[in-house]
Amino acid sequence: QDSESGKAAEDLLRKIIAANSECIDALDSLALLVHMNGRFAEAVTLYRKVIDLDPERLIAVNNLAWLLCEEENKLLEAKDIADAGLALNPNYIDLIDTRGMIRFRLNDFAGAVADFQKCIELYTEKAPGLAGSHFHLAKALVKLDRKPEAIISLNEAIKLGGLSPAELPAAEKLSKTLSEQN
């Protein structure tokens, strides 16, 4: 968050960029810093500069696609960016998950299911993101009226732990609702 050290780091990064506007490491670091501080529009601008200089910076690609999806509702652009990143590394789990969320928001539930299933296949057994992928998969399965599969995925997400404080009650509520319907 915006602490004294964070402000000092931001000032230093801005001085480096002022001296060399193409210092990709400084741009990338500043993008991440402003992103973490909730300054999303500025982060989008910086991530775009990073990717213009180096399209293979997949963390920046993922973060840009995520912000375009979640903060700016530019879903088609976000999907194009995610697809371009996945063309470079088809097994980059975070980017697959991001594209899954983009597809979900675009009502491409079958595509979202495919992405979340791939995440689940690629994650290691104790990966922190595994529970989230199960939860996202369950929500997409519900949209496709595949409720028994959704219940299994929800229960797995809850059992694994690791859901955010907002996701856990939502997962438990959805699991209860689906179980009552069956």
Side-chain angles (χ1 to χ4, degrees), residues 140 145 168:
D145 203 31
L168 182 58

Side-chain angles (χ1 to χ4, degrees), residues 75-76 79 99 101-109:
L75 300 175
L76 295 176
K79 186 175 178 305
R99 187 179 65 184
M101 290 305 297
I102 296 164
R103 286 176 159 178
F104 185 88
R105 301 223 189 296
L106 286 168
N107 297 321
D108 174 9
F109 303 117

Side-chain angles (χ1 to χ4, degrees), residues 35-47:
H35 182 173
M36 291 179 352
N37 284 315
R39 293 165 28 214
F40 302 129
E42 185 178 3
V44 165
T45 299
L46 290 164
Y47 284 132

Side-chain angles (χ1 to χ4, degrees), residues 5 12 23 55 59 71 73 76 78 91 104 107 120-121 128-129 143 145 156 159 164:
S5 58
L12 181 60
C23 182
I59 293 172
E71 299 299 329
N73 200 35
L76 295 176
N91 291 325
F104 185 88
N107 297 321
I120 290 166
E121 290 170 16
K143 294 290 189 178
D145 203 31
E156 188 64 22
K159 181 182 90 175
S164 73

